[in-house]
Amino acid sequence: MPAPRTLFAAAALTAGAALVLAGCAGGEPDDAAAFDPDEKVTLDFAFWGNDDRATRYNDLIAAFNEEYPNITINTSFTDFPSFWEKRQTEAAGGGLPDVFQFSDSYLRQYAESGNLLDLGEVSDYIDTTTFDESLLGTGALDDVQYSLPTGYSLWANFVNDDLVAQAGVDAPEGGTSFADFDDWMADVTDATGGAVYGGTDYTQRIQVFELVLRANGGNLYTDDGELGFTEDELRDFWESGADIRDGVTVPQQKLEELSPKSGFGAGITASEMSWSNFLGGYLADSGASSISIVAPPTAEEGSKDLYRQAGLQVAIAKNTEHPEAAALFLDFVVNSPEAGEIFGTTLGFPASSSKLEGTTLEGADKQVADYIESAADRIGDAPPVPVVGYGSLEQTFWDLGKSIGLGALSVDDAVTQFFSEADAILG
């Protein structure tokens, strides 16, 4: 792989728009020449994930050290909630890791508070020309590039082919209306006498609400960092799930007993909506011999309601003492063919063309790639940068949806609580 410095310099002649988006309009960083490729450097790298992801990162670091033996990478990882709790403590004290996995849900919060390095300051060491402009935008705020995506996913509907065959019903079509999909779930539940349910109450997921809003020309939030929907729109959405909550989808109480597995992962629902890169996990959890991926229902046929969700990103702390070395490692994680070979689609479908070149698409990876290609006509522009506190709002949405499913909360009360929480988070 050519050195990032060479790639970026060559691309600078023809990719002006990408440079502006990457925050490079100011020209070369003043301290670029100060980088010593022989200096012994140690970087801290933090990520969320499991043992499998840790093993892959160890393999990637070994490949990185073949090219940069002078840069030592110390890693740490935990689960997603604990990861962000620790980052918030570190951010308050100015002690973030040099490089860390990042989420677009926190872009406003960490960029506006000055905790992220403007990648334009280390543009000699990172190649951004390998990214589609819309994917670059997922890590940019006010035309400054703060992070880069490792990959992307599309919202999808997963179907357990074994359970559908046992129920004796036809497989669901992708991209139907919500009403038609509700009928299909009811057919599965009725055919099995409730031994297997057609699916889960999808109105609990803010991503499905987002689909409905986007199908009608809206978004969850605005470019100004405010909510993009009204109380009435949220009320209508949650009320639309009343019929499927009445004996069609798996009861919420049963899901509480199965947690942390989902109904689909536990093999008691025939379908579940989630991000396309969840396929491998679903196969492992459910034990199904075959799982299909079809497009989710749509609120408006022909709409561009899907988008490339590039939530898993990599960023550099503003206070790193080794910005150039950190940039070289970030570039290796998001751009190298070695990263594509080692991670496949487990960090999302590769977002950069150079990483994709190293990815062997077979088995579940090939299935995800085929689904993304099949849904290409339905993919629209990426939504605005998430509001500050989006992660908390997403969890609140899910918790309130589950309370509705348990019968512990009315839709009206849930709407009131959500907007009260949003007011507190957004100030």
Side-chain angles (χ1 to χ4, degrees), residues 184-260:
W184 178 84
M185 288 196 296
D187 289 344
V188 172
T189 303
D190 290 344
T192 65
V196 173
Y197 294 89
T200 303
D201 177 14
Y202 52 75
T203 66
Q204 294 178 358
R205 303 302 300 273
I206 199 169
Q207 290 84 2
V208 181
F209 183 41
E210 183 176 36
L211 280 188
V212 174
L213 292 174
R214 285 173 59 86
N216 291 286
N219 273 302
L220 284 175
Y221 26 80
T222 69
D223 288 321
D224 297 328
E226 302 292 338
L227 291 184
F229 56 91
T230 66
E231 291 188 15
D232 286 341
E233 287 174 312
L234 178 55
R235 183 177 295 105
D236 289 345
F237 178 71
W238 271 333
E239 287 180 345
S240 73
D243 288 341
I244 59 174
R245 286 192 291 269
D246 188 18
V248 172
T249 56
V250 59
Q252 185 58 41
Q253 183 58 50
K254 188 176 288 291
L255 291 177
E256 298 295 320
E257 296 166 0
L258 292 170
S259 182

Side-chain angles (χ1 to χ4, degrees), residues 142-199:
D142 298 330
D143 292 332
V144 176
Q145 196 76 44
Y146 289 107
S147 61
L148 289 172
T150 64
Y152 67 88
S153 301
L154 290 186
W155 195 249
N157 195 11
F158 295 89
V159 180
N160 186 319
D161 299 325
D162 300 343
L163 296 181
V164 170
Q166 292 171 21
V169 301
D170 293 332
E173 295 182 21
T176 65
S177 67
F178 281 94
D180 285 345
F181 179 62
D182 292 350
D183 289 342
W184 178 84
M185 288 196 296
D187 289 344
V188 172
T189 303
D190 290 344
T192 65
V196 173
Y197 294 89

